[in-house]
Amino acid sequence: MFRTKTVEQSIRDTEEPEHSLKKSLSALDLTVFGVGVVIGTGIFVLTGKIAKEQAGPAVAVSFVVAGVVCALAALCYAEFASTVPVAGSAYTFSYASLGELPAWIIGWDLILELALGCAVVAVGWSGYVRSLLDSAGLHLPSALSGTHGGRFGFDLLACVLVLVLTAVLVFGMKLSSRVTTVVVGIKVAVVLLVVIAGAFFVSGANYQPFVPPSRPAVGGGGLAAPLSQLMFGFTPSDFGIMGIFAAAAVVFFAFIGFDIVATAAEETRVPQRDVPRGILGSLAICTLLYVAVSVVVTGMEKYDRLSVDAPLADAFKHVGHPFFADLISFGAAVGLTSVCMILLLGQSRVFFAMSRDGLLPQVFSRVHPTFGTPHRSTIVLGAVVAVVSGFTSIDVLAELVNIGTLFAFVVVAIGVILLRRSRPDLPRAFRTPLVPLIPVLSVLASLWLMLNLPAETWIRFAIWMAIGFAVYFVYGRGHSRLGARTEDRGPAGARA
């Protein structure tokens, strides 16, 4: 269960013709992917919500703190991705350092998180598009507008979006990167335009006080309370210095997705150089954009008067410019398209890597002879996500999207330390500085954020993991290609 797959064997597997992905991506493509998946509704909604409820104008500092936490994890991802340039991200890294069972757990977890994340994003995109259609006088039938407020329906727009993006991913990574480049260009242009326009309406009086006085946090009880509160009796606070760090635990999730860049390492022309650049570059750009938007929105309107649902759009309405509200909705709709596509990309590559190792049926690890993409896994997962996004409510799945990513951060950071000790001879194009200090800090920061998640999220996570254990012992362990190689070598090979 804890047999490890050598880095050399992982790389050899990528050279098998029927399992080999086409290398077509550059550092710029990877940076665009990273920005494309991170910049989503968070930049239009989360900034104002957290400013009003937890941090005030100091929400900009919260974004910086969250960016530093992500940077710790990004440094660990960059070393692994440059050392093991193979599809699968944290799953592949875990296989090389921790063993087969931990790798399975991470892979199983990532498939759930990325699939549900894509479904949630697709439903959110559908809401923005319906809003724009309503403004234009076009209205979808309620039966095709999704499930809302206890009313059951099928979300046609969300389903169609996922199916179209699935087709784009099947036709090749270069096409996917070109589509993403266009979409991200539009999205970033809208964000910059809003920031520049909003800067003309900033009032210094709205920044007073920059750090509002502290008060006990308002939250749910029971299983809806953070796990740290249930375990230690610790009650988080809003506003004040502690409020800044409590807000960082929330806005951290606006950064989730930069690690998906690592899933495309196998399809990168020079992964040892370009993957670290893509990971760290996209994280730096996104942090700057988040800080800029948070400074503008809290300067345009007093933090305690910001709306929760659409703070940036409503801030422009407050200063008498409703045109920008529609522009923001357009930017959010365009932006979520790229988020959805890259989440689909990430989950299909993790599924492909697990299938190539025999832990899932190997029929899904065949690549298309023309397009060089894992078309079967992409189509199957795309169809599942399309159905889920068509019939689900965004409230049901949103909380489940977070804990798995933090869990992956913990595993990758530990893996860097273990692989440094077990394989110091490996060539590392990028080396995480100050090992083991940086990985240890990454583990502690991620665990702290995990403890601030509701207890019910932990329960759902545990249920999914239990299902994963069952699947591994029923199918994966017996069909593992690494296990078959070990048995072929005999007892001496197994000991080696």
Side-chain angles (χ1 to χ4, degrees), residues 42-85:
I43 201 165
F44 301 109
V45 177
L46 195 59
T47 49
K49 175 180 170 62
I50 300 305
K52 180 175 182 177
E53 298 178 353
Q54 287 189 290
V59 66
V61 180
S62 299
F63 274 112
V64 173
V65 172
V68 170
V69 174
C70 289
L72 295 174
L75 290 170
C76 298
Y77 267 90
E79 173 168 326
F80 254 129
S82 63
T83 307
V84 195

Side-chain angles (χ1 to χ4, degrees), residues 130-220:
R130 286 198 307 273
S131 174
L132 290 173
L133 291 175
D134 290 342
S135 299
L138 302 174
H139 306 285
L140 279 179
S142 58
L144 298 177
S145 299
T147 301
H148 305 285
R151 177 182 53 77
F152 179 79
F154 179 74
D155 198 327
L156 178 64
L157 292 176
C159 181
V160 169
L161 172 69
V162 174
L163 293 177
V164 170
L165 295 180
T166 298
V168 172
L169 289 172
V170 167
F171 287 136
M173 278 296 288
K174 198 58 186 176
L175 174 62
S176 305
S177 68
R178 287 171 180 167
V179 172
T180 304
T181 300
V182 173
V183 170
V184 171
I186 295 172
K187 175 168 56 176
V188 172
V190 170
V191 171
L192 292 176
L193 179 62
V194 168
V195 169
I196 294 170
F200 289 97
F201 303 102
V202 168
S203 170
N206 291 329
Y207 293 127
Q208 303 297 327
F210 187 74
V211 182
S214 176
R215 72 181 188 192
V218 179

Side-chain angles (χ1 to χ4, degrees), residues 25-27 30 261 268-279:
L25 301 179
S26 65
L30 295 177
V261 173
T268 304
R269 288 192 290 266
V270 190
Q272 292 80 4
R273 179 195 67 193
D274 293 343
V275 174
R277 291 180 180 179
I279 292 175

Side-chain angles (χ1 to χ4, degrees), residues 435-493:
V435 173
L437 177 61
I438 294 296
V440 168
L441 290 176
S442 179
V443 169
L444 294 176
S446 299
L447 287 175
W448 174 67
L449 294 178
M450 290 175 74
L451 289 175
N452 281 278
L453 290 170
E456 58 188 1
T457 301
W458 282 81
I459 294 174
R460 296 190 187 105
F461 181 67
I463 293 172
W464 177 253
M465 289 294 104
I467 297 172
F469 274 105
V471 174
Y472 173 74
F473 286 108
V474 170
Y475 181 88
R477 189 163 181 250
H479 291 79
S480 167
R481 293 181 68 191
L482 179 61
R485 293 190 188 108
T486 303
E487 291 175 4
D488 290 343
R489 290 197 301 268

